[in-house]
Amino acid sequence: MKAEQDGDLVEEDSPDENVQTNQYSSISPPASPEAQDEPFSTYFEDKVAIPEDVSQVFSFRKLWAFTGPGFLMSIAYLDPGNIESDLQSGAKAGFKLLWILLGATIIGLLLQRLAARLGVVTGMHLAEVCNRQYPAVPRVILWMMVELAIIGSDMQEVIGCAIALNLLSMGSIPLWAGVLITITDTFVFLFLDKYGLRKLEAFFGFLITVMALSFGYEYVLVKPNQGELLKGMFIPYCADCGPVQLEQAVGIVGAVIMPHNIYLHSALVKSRDIDRKNKNEVKEANKYFFIEATIALFISFLINVFVVAVFAQAFFNKTNNDMNQMCNETGSQHTDLFPQNNETLQVDIYKGGVVLGCFFGPAALYIWAIGILAAGQSSTMTGTYSGQFVMEGFLNLRWSRFARVLLTRSIAITPTLLVAIFQDVQHLTGMNDFLNVLQSMQLPFALIPILTFTSMTSIMNDFANGMVWKISGGVVILVVCAINIYFVVVYVTALNSVLLYVLAAVLSVAYLCFVVYLAWHCLVALGVSCLDFGSRVSNRPAMLIEEQSEYDS
């Protein structure tokens, strides 16, 4: 059984035709003796059994058994950072960028497919595979980069919760108090899995339902133009768009495709009881996980569309004067948020709730805040799981569960609390832009490793990426990384500081060197054999079956 949990399987000869006779994984074992102990488990103290329906090509009972990990993964597509990107897209470009949102979600689905397959086939998540494949120094650098992405995402999520609490209390709960409340209830909710894995997944399902109902209510209230919505979604063109809309389009891609979510999904799929010695079971698990992820991301896409459409219909091309006048007429206490000038309206999740309240009444504001609270709370919890999986995988931690939760929470929450204490709730847009840039920079450190390892037959065996997936995956990752680098360049050039330019140049050299290092390993895994001079990551078998068997035992 340990071999199944650790993920380093050797398939012995068997008369059973369903059992493969070659190894699924030749991932090198850790060097230290204690590293060979069975790792702690954060999320998998019990595993969901898969019903036996061998006579059916498709079974809803089996799909239900596999349902859960994809919906937890999809929450990253609904976090406050995504919601803010959605509303800004609607306010700045109307319906014109919905096709970008659709394309980014489809790309995200394809990348999540790779993550799920890695976890199902190897029995290990991406951080664990990185720990076994990369040398010590690159491994530590990679961990720090992913940790930065988690901190950036977590700050957006926790502050999103705090903003929602501030709106719901009409300003009575300050930002710092909202952060503390979010930290506390996150600790409570995280231990729901002690009462059963399915109960925890049901709780996340409830939070997604709250988001759908909240933002769906706003959608019905505003009554967007359905023709313009469909045109913006399926016609890949942006008429009369300028630098503002281009920057927003880039921001959509950066907000949707998040690096830590790749690590998270590869770990969540381990929660199902799959016999990885049985090729048919592995194949079946890959199929159902992909179907579930497709359904989950379709729902998250609809929720994102609700938000874009609301702000596209009601606030596109609106000015600060328009908002000031409307808020004055309705007696809102937030009139001072909108200076009396004809500049285009700039919104974030806080101002978004305010303008909805001014135009459509207090109910719209409170329901918006409830949706943001559900988005922030759910994504904060999945972000915490991401932090634990990443830290456990890269560092091989041997701590108690509470100690690991406390450490990962403290790393992410400390900077968030400092921001909440010294920053006003009404002036957080600049910080959100910085956090989006921070996460965009970390994308290569998830996308390159996942393509690398899922392309290696020494790890994935018959489930390794074929030539089509290798080429298309490489092109997609190249395009996504290029888009996000452009986003970073636009942000840095707008800083107008020579000192910051010099600092950015120095950091860029180190950053690009590490990306090139990972890309080199990736190209070797993709089959560019002329580059295979000393790479630890290779498609050639890394160890003998006997050595693997000894490690598993």
Side-chain angles (χ1 to χ4, degrees):
M1 291 298 294
K2 183 177 177 183
E4 295 180 44
Q5 294 170 349
D6 286 352
D8 298 322
L9 280 177
V10 177
E11 311 298 336
E12 298 179 355
D13 291 337
S14 168
D16 189 345
E17 63 179 0
N18 289 334
V19 180
Q20 285 190 293
T21 58
N22 52 354
Q23 64 189 64
Y24 266 11
S25 172
S26 59
I27 298 173
S28 304
S32 60
E34 56 264 48
Q36 299 184 27
D37 295 337
E38 182 176 344
F40 276 96
S41 174
T42 303
Y43 178 71
F44 318 112
E45 293 184 3
D46 60 334
K47 290 196 174 188
V48 176
I50 307 302
E52 294 291 338
D53 285 323
V54 293
S55 61
Q56 297 182 0
V57 176
F58 178 83
S59 167
F60 282 102
R61 288 181 64 228
K62 283 195 174 183
L63 179 60
W64 178 249
F66 282 105
T67 296
F71 280 88
L72 268 68
M73 167 274 294
S74 72
I75 285 170
Y77 292 72
L78 296 168
D79 72 343
N82 272 285
I83 301 301
E84 182 158 316
S85 174
D86 292 337
L87 65 89
Q88 289 176 346
S89 171
K92 293 179 180 179
F95 299 99
K96 300 173 186 176
L97 297 180
L98 278 173
W99 64 275
I100 297 286
L101 177 63
L102 175 62
T105 304
I106 293 173
I107 290 173
L109 173 63
L110 299 179
L111 295 172
Q112 299 299 160
R113 174 186 179 272
L114 296 181
R117 286 171 70 86
L118 180 71
V120 170
V121 174
T122 68
M124 290 187 293
H125 56 74
L126 181 56
E128 291 174 317
V129 178
C130 289
N131 181 42
R132 285 156 174 77
Q133 285 289 347
Y134 290 123
V137 174
R139 185 167 68 231
V140 171
I141 296 174
L142 193 59
W143 166 67
M144 290 191 294
M145 293 297 100
V146 178
E147 200 68 56
L148 277 176
I150 293 173
I151 291 172
S153 174
D154 212 55
M155 289 178 71
Q156 290 178 315
E157 294 156 359
V158 173
I159 288 177
C161 282
I163 288 174
L165 292 171
N166 183 274
L167 287 172
L168 288 170
S169 66
M170 296 301 292
S172 299
I173 301 178
L175 198 63
W176 61 267
V179 169
L180 291 177
I181 292 172
T182 304
I183 296 170
T184 304
D185 60 31
T186 298
F187 270 110
V188 173
F189 292 142
L190 277 172
F191 287 92
L192 279 176
D193 64 345
K194 302 298 289 185
Y195 298 97
L197 186 58
R198 297 298 266 177
K199 291 183 176 65
L200 177 70
E201 293 173 347
F203 179 69
F204 280 102
F206 167 74
L207 292 177
I208 293 174
T209 304
V210 170
M211 283 184 265
L213 293 176
S214 299
F215 300 134
Y217 169 84
E218 308 286 359
Y219 182 86
V220 172
L221 184 68
V222 173
K223 300 182 178 65
N225 185 315
Q226 300 303 306
E228 290 297 314
L229 187 149
L230 293 174
K231 179 181 175 182
M233 188 180 298
F234 296 110
I235 298 180
Y237 180 67
C238 189
D240 302 320
C241 289
V244 172
Q245 288 75 24
L246 176 60
E247 184 177 341
Q248 189 59 47
V250 172
I252 290 173
V253 178
V256 168
I257 304 172
M258 304 178 72
H260 69 277
N261 210 34
I262 304 295
Y263 288 86
L264 175 68
H265 198 197
S266 66
L268 294 176
V269 296
K270 293 169 58 179
S271 60
R272 268 47 185 177
D273 190 11
I274 301 165
D275 180 9
R276 292 186 304 104
K277 293 179 180 179
N278 188 319
K279 181 179 178 180
N280 287 341
E281 282 197 26
V282 174
K283 186 177 181 179
E284 180 182 71
N286 285 331
K287 178 182 74 174
Y288 281 107
F289 275 132
F290 182 67
I291 294 172
E292 186 236 0
T294 302
I295 296 171
L297 289 189
F298 176 72
I299 293 172
S300 73
F301 172 71
L302 288 182
I303 296 174
N304 282 309
V305 168
F306 289 162
V307 178
V308 175
V310 165
F311 283 83
Q313 183 69 33
F315 307 112
F316 177 51
N317 279 338
K318 290 291 192 299
T319 66
N320 286 324
N321 266 337
D322 296 331
M323 293 300 108
N324 189 288
Q325 180 181 348
M326 182 57 69
C327 289
N328 261 326
E329 291 175 0
T330 56
S332 170
Q333 63 179 357
H334 301 290
T335 306
D336 58 330
L337 285 176
F338 311 103
Q340 292 182 313
N341 58 46
N342 285 319
E343 293 181 7
T344 303
L345 174 68
Q346 300 289 327
V347 287
D348 51 31
I349 56 175
Y350 179 75
K351 291 180 182 177
V354 170
V355 297
L356 285 171
C358 291
F359 268 73
F360 303 104
L365 184 151
Y366 290 127
I367 292 173
W368 169 262
I370 290 171
I372 296 298
L373 183 62
Q377 187 62 73
S378 57
S379 55
T380 300
M381 293 169 64
T382 55
T384 302
Y385 277 120
S386 298
Q388 292 180 71
F389 293 139
V390 166
M391 188 168 287
E392 291 165 8
F394 277 110
L395 303 185
N396 231 349
L397 289 183
R398 292 292 179 270
W399 295 1
S400 70
R401 185 169 186 269
F402 179 79
R404 284 176 289 137
V405 172
L406 184 63
L407 176 63
T408 52
R409 279 289 76 196
S410 300
I411 289 176
I413 289 300
T414 301
T416 308
L417 191 56
L418 292 174
V419 168
I421 292 172
F422 295 107
Q423 184 65 279
D424 186 80
V425 69
Q426 301 174 6
H427 302 91
L428 290 171
T429 301
M431 186 204 70
N432 191 64
D433 291 341
F434 170 75
L435 294 177
N436 283 335
V437 168
L438 179 66
Q439 292 175 78
S440 295
M441 292 182 65
Q442 313 312 318
L443 263 177
F445 307 126
L447 303 190
I448 295 177
I450 195 65
L451 180 62
T452 300
F453 300 132
T454 55
S455 298
M456 294 172 60
T457 53
S458 59
I459 292 177
M460 301 290 289
N461 203 359
D462 291 346
F463 296 96
N465 295 329
M467 186 57 65
V468 173
W469 267 98
K470 288 179 180 180
I471 295 174
S472 58
V475 170
V476 165
I477 289 173
L478 184 63
V479 170
V480 170
C481 291
I483 288 173
N484 282 276
I485 292 300
Y486 171 81
F487 184 47
V488 173
V489 170
V490 168
Y491 177 82
V492 171
T493 53
L495 296 175
N496 295 321
S497 169
V498 175
L499 180 61
L500 291 176
Y501 289 161
V502 173
L503 179 61
V506 173
L507 292 176
S508 296
V509 172
Y511 173 85
L512 290 174
C513 286
F514 190 54
V515 170
V516 168
Y517 172 83
L518 295 178
W520 165 50
H521 284 298
C522 185
L523 289 171
V524 171
L526 292 175
V528 185
S529 56
C530 61
L531 296 177
D532 188 7
F533 44 87
S535 171
R536 275 188 53 172
V537 177
S538 174
N539 259 324
R540 294 173 300 183
M543 58 192 300
L544 296 175
I545 292 179
E546 291 79 12
E547 293 173 330
Q548 181 72 50
S549 300
E550 181 181 351
Y551 170 56
D552 288 337
S553 62

